Amino acid sequence: MGNGTDGDLGQVVDGNALAGPLTEVFAVDITTARARCTSCGATGPVAALRVYGRAPALVARCPGCAAVVLRFNRTPTAAWLDLQGATSLHFPLPG
Amino acid sequence: MAIVSPGFRGRPRPAADLPPGQYPTEDFPVLSAGPTPRVTHDRWEFTITTETGAKHHWSWREVMALPAETVTVDLHCVTRWSKFGTTWQGVSLDTLLADVDTAADYAVAHSYGGYTTNLPLEDLLDGQAWLAYRYDGDDLTPEHGGPARLLVPHLYLWKSAKWVRGLRLGLEDEPGFWETLGYHDYGDPWREQRYQGD
């Protein structure tokens, strides 16, 4: 997926941009979770994903291989969350 | 989602030209769901794959040798901006599909970079769609989908796949990148078909 360049148009922000929109569907701050990329297997904090927000919905990509890890679309009446690109999300929780 | 700036509001056009829920703009916003592919002409190829697996390939040089058409059309993005009177040059999909033997009802456009979008095949025929490679007299820039993008102006602009590399024809409708995330399967701006269920 990643045969190009990005960032040259200010299109990309980091995964912290997911925190606000995803408070509607997660009880915890998703940016504190660690995601494993289905495409390359790399694991890292959701906050470090590369988020394309100047699009019809939020698209978060792996900083290593540029594959889509997570997508989120808030329509007027629903929220759509695609986690196909994440093998797992690992949330630290109080013991 | 208030992420996309509404941009400059251009001179008013008759309301009849503007689909419901849209506003006019005079700039050309760049929306992107991923890294911008940079594909050189010598590496570029366009492929139509039928439901039987038969493949039809065109190199850049072969596309350039096909009859070109110049069209001036209005664009309507699902993020609510519309841009009037854009001029493109490209090859009609009628030309590319003329010798393709298919019984398919649907097409999935697929792009360099991995983007996909689905359309009924009939919406690509009869002078409704182009493989566009020039915009406003210049080669199409990568930011706007160059070397070549699909142009299907009667549907929301997400159907006009940037960096298009081919079509897969099929008997079943197969939702694409945005259609699997809540966007409408068809996307008619005049019926305001933004989301599934609209």
Side-chain angles (χ1 to χ4, degrees), chain B residues 4-163:
Chain B
V4 176
S5 162
F8 176 74
R9 288 168 188 262
R11 285 188 296 277
R13 275 263 297 256
D17 292 347
L18 202 58
Q22 297 291 111
Y23 62 82
T25 185
E26 291 198 353
D27 59 9
F28 196 165
V30 173
L31 276 66
S32 185
T36 300
R38 311 276 167 173
V39 185
T40 57
H41 291 166
D42 61 313
R43 284 199 305 122
W44 185 91
E45 185 177 63
F46 188 77
T47 303
I48 296 178
T49 307
T50 74
E51 71 278 13
T52 66
K55 293 182 184 296
H56 302 254
H57 299 283
W58 291 265
S59 67
W60 185 260
R61 183 175 299 187
E62 288 166 336
V63 167
M64 293 300 107
L66 294 172
E69 296 183 6
T70 300
V71 294
T72 298
V73 298
D74 297 341
L75 306 178
H76 307 295
C77 179
V78 74
T79 61
R80 300 189 179 275
W81 58 264
S82 289
K83 183 173 177 61
F84 295 128
T86 64
T87 299
W88 304 79
Q89 189 173 24
V91 174
S92 170
L93 266 290
D94 291 307
T95 302
L96 293 164
L97 288 161
D99 295 325
V100 175
D101 183 20
T102 180
D105 291 322
Y106 300 98
V108 175
H110 54 102
S111 298
Y112 292 97
Y115 181 76
T116 57
T117 189
N118 56 305
L119 310 96
L121 183 56
E122 66 181 8
D123 284 80
L124 297 177
L125 297 169
D126 299 326
Q128 297 184 93
W130 294 267
L131 178 65
Y133 48 78
R134 291 176 73 82
Y135 168 70
D136 206 15
D138 293 319
D139 288 348
L140 189 57
T141 61
E143 289 73 20
H144 286 300
R149 73 180 295 168
L150 203 58
L151 179 64
V152 194
H154 69 285
L155 300 177
Y156 281 124
L157 196 56
W158 91 77
K159 298 289 186 178
S160 294
K162 295 180 181 179
W163 317 296

Side-chain angles (χ1 to χ4, degrees), chain A residues 1-6 8-9 11 52-59 61 66 68 71-76 80-82, chain B residues 1 3-4 29-39 43 78-79 112-114 143 177-178 180-183 195-196:
Chain A
M1 296 277 285
N3 62 336
T5 61
D6 57 13
D8 50 344
L9 293 166
Q11 300 268 14
Y52 291 77
R54 292 190 65 191
L58 292 172
V59 177
R61 292 178 179 268
V68 176
R71 300 187 297 159
F72 182 73
N73 181 22
R74 179 66 163 92
T75 78
W80 292 74
L81 177 63
D82 169 24
Chain B
M1 190 175 307
I3 295 210
V4 176
V30 173
L31 276 66
S32 185
T36 300
R38 311 276 167 173
V39 185
R43 284 199 305 122
V78 74
T79 61
Y112 292 97
E143 289 73 20
F177 187 79
W178 293 126
T180 53
L181 199 69
Y183 281 93
Y195 306 110
Q196 287 189 26

Side-chain angles (χ1 to χ4, degrees), chain A residues 4-35:
Chain A
T5 61
D6 57 13
D8 50 344
L9 293 166
Q11 300 268 14
V12 189
V13 295
D14 70 31
N16 288 301
L18 299 168
L22 285 166
T23 56
E24 281 194 285
V25 292
F26 281 100
V28 296
D29 179 0
I30 191 175
T31 62
T32 65
R34 292 178 67 80

